[in-house]
């Protein structure tokens, strides 16, 4: 797959969106809880909305594939085996549509980074979220983070 010359919008940004989390919040007790994002850094085609689903980046129509990435900083956690994943729609599993990192141990305030290769768009209603999970009973707190999507046009 190649990226067409028109994939770069005015201002030098790729087509897509980047959302950020500036305020810490609980990510739940070892559950797969989507991270709700606070604001957009840029959004060139209405891929994010603060309501009703601030955790989602949506695809819309006219795109063949997306590339996604996230960095999430965790805080106040005693968790072991944390998983941070980029989810396609609602599927949290180890299938081809889920991309994740799962280190075995953590320093204080660890950063989790996940980046995908191109993911084929299944439908114009597809959406993407970032979810965290811990294999123990510790509460997870997302201190800050970002989530970005570059869309590849048809």
């Amino acid at each position: 797959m190649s990226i067409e010359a028109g994939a770069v919008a005015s201002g030098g940004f790729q087509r897509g969106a980047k959302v950020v989390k500036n305020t810490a919040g609980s990510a739940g007790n070892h559950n797969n809880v989507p991270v709700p994002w606070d604001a957009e850094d840029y959004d060139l085609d209405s891929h994010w909305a603060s309501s009703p689903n601030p955790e989602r980046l949506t695809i819309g129509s006219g795109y063949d594939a997306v590339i996604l990435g996230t960095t999430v900083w965790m805080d106040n956690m005693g968790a072991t085996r944390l998983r941070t994943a980029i989810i396609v729609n609602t599927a949290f599993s180890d299938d081809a549509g889920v991309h994740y990192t799962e280190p075995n141990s953590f320093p204080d305030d660890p950063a989790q980074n996940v980046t995908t290769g191109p993911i084929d768009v299944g439908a114009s209603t597809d959406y993407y979220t970032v979810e965290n999970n811990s294999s123990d009973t510790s509460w997870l707190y997302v201190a800050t983070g970002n989530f970005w999507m570059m869309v590849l046009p048809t």
Side-chain angles (χ1 to χ4, degrees):
M1 174 177 294
S2 64
I3 298 174
E4 300 295 324
V8 177
S10 64
F13 290 114
Q14 301 288 350
R15 289 185 183 169
K18 179 182 174 188
V19 292
V20 296
K21 181 159 189 63
N22 298 315
T23 57
S26 173
N29 189 357
H30 67 278
N31 292 319
N32 301 324
V33 178
V35 175
W37 304 101
D38 297 329
E40 59 189 29
D41 190 22
Y42 62 89
D43 187 354
L44 301 177
D45 198 14
S46 300
H47 297 291
W48 182 77
S50 61
S51 177
N53 297 301
E55 70 279 3
R56 295 181 180 181
L57 288 177
T58 58
I59 186 61
S61 60
Y63 303 105
D64 281 339
V66 296
I67 298 173
L68 302 143
T70 187
T71 300
V72 178
W73 284 269
M74 307 304 282
D75 194 10
N76 296 330
M77 64 176 227
T80 58
R81 299 197 64 81
L82 172 71
R83 176 184 290 187
T84 295
I86 294 174
I87 307 297
V88 179
N89 299 323
T90 60
F92 191 101
S93 67
D94 293 335
D95 64 22
V98 176
H99 304 269
Y100 65 91
T101 182
E102 185 173 7
N104 291 321
S105 61
F106 307 96
D108 291 337
D109 304 332
Q112 297 283 97
N113 299 292
V114 182
T115 305
T116 73
I119 299 172
D120 290 335
V121 172
S124 63
T125 56
D126 279 356
Y127 62 90
Y128 309 91
T129 59
V130 173
E131 296 183 5
N132 296 299
N133 178 279
S134 171
S135 61
D136 63 20
T137 58
S138 297
W139 278 82
L140 304 175
Y141 296 90
V142 176
T144 60
N146 64 67
F147 183 32
W148 57 265
M149 173 172 69
M150 180 177 71
V151 293
L152 306 176
T154 55

